[in-house]
Amino acid sequence: MKTFKKVYIEITSVCNLACSFCPQTARQKNFMKLDTFNTILDQVKPHTSHIYLHVKGEPLLHPKIGELLDAAHAKGFKVNITTNGTLIHKAGPKILGKPALRQMNFSLHSFDGHEGSENRAGYVAEIISFVRQAAEQGVLISFRLWNLTEDNLTNLERERNRETLALLEEAFALDFKIDEKVVPGSGVRIAPRIYLNQDHEFRWPSLNEPEDDGKGFCHALRSQAAVLVDGTVVPCCLDGEGVINLGNIHEKPFSEIVEGERANNLFYGFSRREAVEELCRKCGYRQRFGT
């Protein structure tokens, strides 16, 4: 039986932002029902004890986010949430104190990625207010600025990041500049249980992207799998359109899906350092793992 470090469960495909780095999904907008969520938890339980509540969509939009966390705790899961942070003032009271909540990732690059964002200081301040309480309760926090480019940042991007980092430096009374210490692809600790991570922006894989030679490796179906809001199982968190449809949990058990023919072809293909799926040959992120 395949086991995973994490399984992504997309509790909604709806997002309140339209960021330049995150293509809007063409799939039907939907919110996962609590009974469906419980069914998925039962099915993935033999395979993992950690779930991540996103693929596409903004998880804090889900009106029953607190109940979902309670359900996860009842079944013994630890939960990571990745959010743009814009709804934390509304959703924060629903998730604070939930024992299932292990980590919160705040994609701070969403502020500049969404055209029309206003009041950077207010945006960061609301997130920090939540973060201070959550960290005291033992929740890990990752502030993310994933907007670096291979040829370095433009002057505008540098200025925007510096504004955001300066707000964090002031709030946490840091005696150093974060961007002078952080290394792309890793993080720097700015307070107990609170980290800032910077990395290069990645392109979501798409069948419209150019195809590479298909050589290389990926952790899809090794360390992770994902379930989209409609129950479609895909091999990784970057298949945001469900292109590599391995099956649907409403029609077949998760355990059978991840051991199915298409899933095993992908898995053993990467064992040979070969991308057998077209989408994988058009995924730039895969190239990070080398050949």
Side-chain angles (χ1 to χ4, degrees):
M1 177 181 290
K2 291 186 177 76
T3 56
F4 308 108
K5 290 183 179 178
K6 56 202 172 189
V7 170
Y8 293 82
I9 303 176
E10 183 188 65
I11 59 174
T12 180
S13 55
V14 180
C15 189
N16 61 321
L17 300 185
C19 295
S20 58
F21 56 82
C22 184
Q24 294 289 298
T25 180
R27 294 181 287 115
Q28 183 177 358
K29 300 290 192 290
N30 205 352
F31 289 86
M32 185 173 287
K33 292 181 171 56
L34 183 58
D35 59 348
T36 299
F37 185 71
N38 272 302
T39 296
I40 293 172
L41 293 183
D42 288 336
Q43 292 197 24
V44 305
K45 183 59 180 174
H47 301 270
T48 191
S49 57
H50 288 80
I51 57 173
Y52 288 51
L53 301 186
H54 70 282
V55 175
K56 287 293 184 75
E58 168 52 53
L60 297 190
L61 269 176
H62 201 293
K64 295 187 176 181
I65 183 68
E67 293 175 57
L68 298 179
L69 287 170
D70 289 339
H73 175 64
K75 296 181 185 295
F77 287 94
K78 289 298 182 182
V79 179
N80 284 28
I81 295 176
T82 296
T83 173
N84 58 46
T86 56
L87 304 173
I88 197 64
H89 61 294
K90 294 181 179 179
K94 298 179 182 179
I95 64 178
L96 273 173
K98 297 296 186 183
L101 187 60
R102 174 186 174 271
Q103 181 168 327
M104 291 287 295
N105 305 315
F106 289 94
S107 298
L108 299 183
H109 48 283
S110 300
F111 184 86
D112 292 311
H114 176 73
E115 186 176 348
S117 292
E118 298 178 346
N119 189 8
R120 185 189 308 271
Y123 165 72
V124 173
E126 286 184 340
I127 292 174
I128 289 174
S129 176
F130 168 87
V131 160
R132 292 191 192 280
Q133 299 175 74
E136 287 181 0
Q137 296 173 1
V139 179
L140 289 169
I141 304 294
S142 172
F143 293 125
R144 293 177 172 180
L145 278 173
W146 287 6
N147 60 358
L148 301 179
T149 55
E150 294 297 337
D151 55 354
N152 231 326
L153 292 170
T154 64
N155 288 334
L156 177 59
E157 287 168 322
R158 283 197 196 95
E159 290 172 7
R160 287 171 167 175
N161 278 359
R162 180 93 294 278
E163 290 176 28
T164 297
L165 293 175
L167 292 169
L168 294 176
E169 290 159 2
E170 180 180 4
F172 292 99
L174 301 184
D175 59 0
F176 62 89
K177 290 190 181 300
I178 295 172
D179 45 351
E180 292 178 357
K181 287 202 171 187
V182 69
V183 175
S186 63
V188 59
R189 180 180 178 273
I190 60 177
R193 309 187 73 82
I194 303 173
Y195 299 83
L196 185 288
N197 298 87
Q198 277 200 293
D199 208 340
H200 295 95
E201 181 178 325
F202 68 87
R203 293 179 66 88
W204 285 80
S206 166
L207 294 178
N208 296 322
E209 291 293 319
E211 189 168 322
D212 62 26
D213 62 7
K215 302 298 182 184
F217 178 76
C218 180
H219 293 282
L221 292 179
R222 275 184 164 75
S223 68
Q224 64 170 280
V227 185
L228 302 182
V229 70
D230 67 350
T232 299
V233 177
V234 293
C236 77
C237 64
L238 293 183
D239 188 358
E241 293 305 305
V243 173
I244 308 176
N245 183 342
L246 301 177
N248 193 292
I249 57 97
H250 297 300
E251 301 167 359
K252 185 183 293 186
F254 181 84
S255 294
E256 291 184 22
I257 292 172
V258 296
E259 294 291 354
E261 181 179 4
R262 189 173 187 180
N264 281 333
N265 285 341
L266 183 148
F267 180 92
Y268 291 114
F270 281 127
S271 295
R272 303 189 303 270
R273 300 299 191 268
E274 176 186 345
V276 301
E277 290 281 350
E278 180 183 0
L279 186 69
C280 299
R281 296 192 296 271
K282 297 180 174 182
C283 178
Y285 197 84
R286 193 194 85 246
Q287 297 167 358
R288 297 187 180 198
F289 305 119
T291 57

